[in-house]
Amino acid sequence: MSAENHSPAAPLQSIEAVDTGLSNAGYIASRPISTAIYLAHHLQKPILVEGPAGVGKTELAKSVAAWLKLPLIRMQCYEGLDESKSLYEWKYGKQLLYTQILKEKIGSVIGDADNLATALDKLHAFGDIFFSRNFLEPRPLLRALEQPGGSVLLIDEIDKSDQEFEAFLLEILSDYQVTVPEIGTVAAHTPPIVLLTSNSTRDLGDALKRRCLHLHIGFPDEKLEARIIASRVPGIDERLLKQLVSFVQQLRALDLKKLPSVSETIDWAKVMVLLHTAVLDVAIVRDTLNVLLKFEADIEAAGKQLAGLTQKAQHEAGIA
């Protein structure tokens, strides 16, 4: 059974429509992001989304699902992830229950069989029942393929899985189908929109990359980051917003172990609003720097430059 494309095409008629749709879902997308989603739908290809943690890779999948009103099916990857956890497993409890029922009815099943061979032949007729669709428990990959109206499949942090799991994914990513030995090939009625995310903790295989469109989401520039924060922290004061963005952009220019992500900037903005902050000063920044920076060495390194960083942020916001 070949995959057919019945997914909602109307909202994806242009790159501009994608940009507007994502914005309505609360995701401020750059042009490359909107283009990747548009192409993924029309070419029926998955997207491999790479970039630092916290820049909005996972949030992109959530926003696409919310915008298109499709179910979001998420599979979190980890070392040792295998077929039984990602594709399907058998309902062993149900199989055991039916085995007990069969034991109780064994006489009526065998009937008038007059020898062992005949009895076994009759029992063999029941063998495949226990490995039929009724006993199959679908996991994320199979659930995504079986959604009649399509879905958004998020394969999160694929770089944390093993190379063997990468190889297992190739059939699904190429043909939107998978083979279950006991049942046969299961193909998608409506190919899902697939996003694989990676924090680049290891190099992914060429075979996987060939099957995907590539999208890199890096740290946003000052203008885009201001738009993102404004959309996620409604009502934030314009001058405070400019100070926050300027300060974070300066932090990312420092030699830190982990640069602050967009999600951490949003959290910091929420903290400043909660504390009724109007102007960034050294004291308030020092007290809340742990929201932005997650390593003590980074906090100490940035702490030595807080006066200059906050002064410049105020200046760019027209305060000092």
Side-chain angles (χ1 to χ4, degrees), residues 17-243:
V18 174
D19 186 74
T20 301
L22 289 175
S23 179
N24 291 338
Y27 191 96
I28 307 301
S30 63
R31 182 75 177 187
I33 292 174
S34 298
T35 301
I37 297 297
Y38 175 80
L39 294 176
H41 169 74
H42 289 282
L43 299 179
Q44 293 188 8
K45 291 179 73 69
I47 308 173
L48 174 59
V49 190
E50 296 186 297
V55 293
K57 302 187 297 296
T58 300
E59 196 64 30
L60 175 60
K62 294 179 180 179
S63 299
V64 170
W67 162 44
L68 296 177
K69 296 181 173 57
L70 292 174
L72 173 68
I73 299 176
R74 178 176 181 174
M75 185 178 69
Q76 178 64 48
C77 297
Y78 54 88
E79 187 177 351
L81 178 63
D82 59 16
E83 184 176 316
S84 67
K85 298 300 182 185
S86 62
L87 183 61
Y88 72 94
E89 64 180 350
W90 296 106
K91 299 177 182 177
Y92 298 113
K94 188 174 181 181
Q95 288 174 327
L96 182 60
L97 175 62
Y98 274 60
T99 301
Q100 295 301 320
I101 295 174
L102 181 59
K103 279 184 178 180
E104 296 172 3
K105 301 295 183 181
I106 192 71
S108 59
V109 171
I110 296 176
D112 57 355
D114 55 3
N115 57 59
L116 180 60
T118 304
L120 289 175
D121 285 340
K122 290 192 174 185
L123 286 174
H124 283 321
F126 292 86
D128 290 339
I129 292 178
F130 294 97
F131 292 95
S132 64
R133 191 64 181 81
N134 291 332
F135 291 88
L136 195 69
E137 181 66 43
R139 293 303 183 189
L141 296 179
L142 188 56
R143 288 208 314 273
L145 294 178
E146 292 185 326
Q147 296 298 314
S151 64
V152 175
L153 173 61
L154 170 60
I155 302 176
D156 216 6
E157 297 185 310
I158 180 64
D159 51 322
K160 289 187 177 180
S161 66
D162 303 317
Q163 291 182 347
E164 292 77 9
F165 184 71
E166 267 189 56
F168 164 70
L169 283 177
L170 297 182
E171 181 185 9
I172 296 173
L173 299 181
S174 296
D175 304 315
Y176 296 104
Q177 67 179 33
V178 70
T179 301
V180 179
E182 297 86 350
I183 293 177
T185 299
V186 179
H189 293 282
T190 303
I193 297 174
V194 182
L195 289 90
L196 303 91
T197 72
S198 169
N199 296 330
S200 302
T201 59
R202 71 171 177 87
D203 292 333
L204 300 174
D206 291 340
L208 179 72
K209 289 187 173 183
R210 282 197 305 271
R211 286 161 172 79
C212 301
L213 299 172
H214 181 263
L215 173 65
H216 183 271
I217 301 180
F219 295 118
D221 60 25
E222 195 165 341
K223 183 178 178 180
L224 180 57
E225 188 157 28
R227 289 180 59 203
I228 293 171
I229 295 173
S231 71
R232 292 306 177 99
V233 190
I236 187 171
D237 179 76
E238 183 69 23
R239 292 200 305 174
L240 175 61
L241 175 61
K242 289 181 179 179
Q243 293 173 78

